[in-house]
Amino acid sequence: MKNTNQSLTNKDLWAIYRKQFLIRSCLNFERQQNIGFTAAMKPIIDKYCETEEEKREVIDRHMQLFLTQPMVASLPIGVAAAMEERIATKGDIDPAAVNSVKTALMGPLAALGDSLINGTARPIVAGVACGLALNGSILGPALFLVVMSCITLGVRYLGVFKGYKEGTEVVTKLQASGMMSKVTELASVAAFVVIGGFIPGNVTLKLPWAYTSGDVTISIQDTLDGLLPGLLPVCLVLLMYVLLKKKVASPVVLMMFLLIAGTVLSLVGIL
């Protein structure tokens, strides 16, 4: 090893930060995000490894299976950077412990990232942006781009720099206090509530049928709206959700089905 008395500098951490954006660049079915993770370790390899054998050891260590939500993958990368630095400078950590920590972090962080980012933040921002766009405002796509960029860049920054600074303590504290599971559960509930609120405004399904008796005309759609506004759109979304959950068909197949069915039913006067 070389530079054994030198800690990682801000320049090194910024290099890791830039490279961790490649976490999904070579996604594979055998070890998932391992190549992207190893690429993020390159600044550490360049700083501490002097011989080809030393480089090979670090590369082999990080070429094992790794899979989590891409944005929060920055936290295990920051933690791994701290551990690799400790191995190179102090040598008091078992190298096998690096993968043990990475494996322990994958599941909880994947649930947290999917709930908070994919399941809560993105649908909320997309819903607001779509509402603006439907009204002809350019602020819709601009809002989505700016807000999601801030979230993406911010989460990745905190993951690398905070993960390196705190090491494994930050996640250990969250798990020990039970906050991680509570935040995940609350985020899931919030996501369902928000998405449900966007359904009537973004999904349109109306029946043109009407029953006429003498001078009285009863609209089927008005009757349904009187019982529960947005009942048909909600039922349609629930049907799609059940079909997706049971893996009856892929999202692409369901979208094509809705496109064709909606066109045909509209032409024949059913919708």
Side-chain angles (χ1 to χ4, degrees):
M1 290 287 183
K2 60 181 180 180
N3 300 325
T4 53
N5 294 322
Q6 295 185 18
S7 300
L8 293 174
T9 63
N10 278 335
K11 181 179 179 181
D12 297 324
L13 292 176
W14 277 112
I16 294 172
Y17 173 79
R18 292 191 297 270
K19 290 183 179 300
Q20 54 93 28
F21 282 91
L22 303 174
I23 188 68
R24 299 187 69 184
S25 59
C26 294
L27 191 68
N28 60 87
F29 291 109
E30 182 182 0
R31 301 184 186 183
Q32 301 295 333
Q33 300 166 340
N34 64 325
I35 298 177
F37 197 105
T38 305
M41 294 294 105
K42 188 177 185 301
I44 296 174
I45 295 173
D46 293 340
K47 187 179 186 71
Y48 294 119
C49 297
E50 189 169 17
T51 66
E52 291 299 321
E53 183 178 353
E54 291 172 348
K55 293 179 181 179
R56 191 179 302 111
E57 287 180 4
V58 178
I59 292 173
D60 288 343
R61 185 153 59 239
H62 293 288
M63 283 293 286
Q64 305 306 311
L65 173 68
F66 182 81
L67 178 63
T68 192
Q69 203 275 344
M71 294 184 203
V72 298
S74 56
L75 183 57
I77 288 173
V79 172
M83 296 182 73
E84 289 291 350
E85 176 192 89
R86 187 83 181 197
I87 292 171
T89 58
K90 303 294 184 181
D92 56 353
I93 295 180
D94 182 1
V98 179
N99 274 325
S100 297
V101 172
K102 286 166 57 179
T103 302
L105 295 178
M106 289 192 304
L109 287 177
L112 192 65
D114 286 336
S115 298
L116 289 178
I117 300 174
N118 294 344
T120 303
R122 186 173 292 165
I124 292 175
V125 177
V128 175
C130 287
L132 292 172
L134 289 172
N135 290 326
S137 175
I138 190 63
L139 290 177
L143 174 70
F144 184 83
L145 177 62
V146 171
V147 174
M148 288 308 301
S149 294
C150 290
I151 292 175
T152 299
L153 298 175
V155 168
R156 292 178 185 272
Y157 173 84
L158 289 175
V160 171
F161 285 83
K162 195 70 173 178
Y164 168 74
K165 182 179 179 180
E166 300 294 338
T168 59
E169 292 181 9
V170 60
V171 179
T172 302
K173 291 177 182 177
L174 285 174
Q175 289 179 317
S177 65
M179 284 298 295
M180 188 168 288
S181 59
K182 291 179 181 178
V183 169
T184 300
E185 183 180 355
L186 291 174
S188 299
V189 173
F192 282 120
V193 172
V194 171
I195 293 173
F198 283 132
I199 290 174
N202 293 280
V203 180
T204 302
L205 180 61
K206 295 182 179 180
L207 296 175
W209 303 340
Y211 172 75
T212 301
S213 178
D215 295 333
V216 178
T217 299
I218 300 176
S219 170
I220 302 298
Q221 185 62 52
D222 290 342
T223 302
L224 292 175
D225 289 339
L227 294 173
L228 181 64
L231 176 60
L232 291 180
V234 170
C235 290
L236 178 62
V237 172
L238 285 175
L239 175 61
M240 295 298 106
Y241 173 76
V242 171
L243 293 177
L244 286 172
K245 187 174 183 180
K246 293 184 177 296
K247 298 182 179 180
V248 176
S250 68
V252 175
V253 172
L254 291 177
M255 285 189 288
M256 292 302 297
F257 170 76
L258 289 176
L259 178 62
I260 296 173
T263 302
V264 173
L265 293 176
S266 296
L267 290 175
V268 299
I270 296 179
L271 293 179

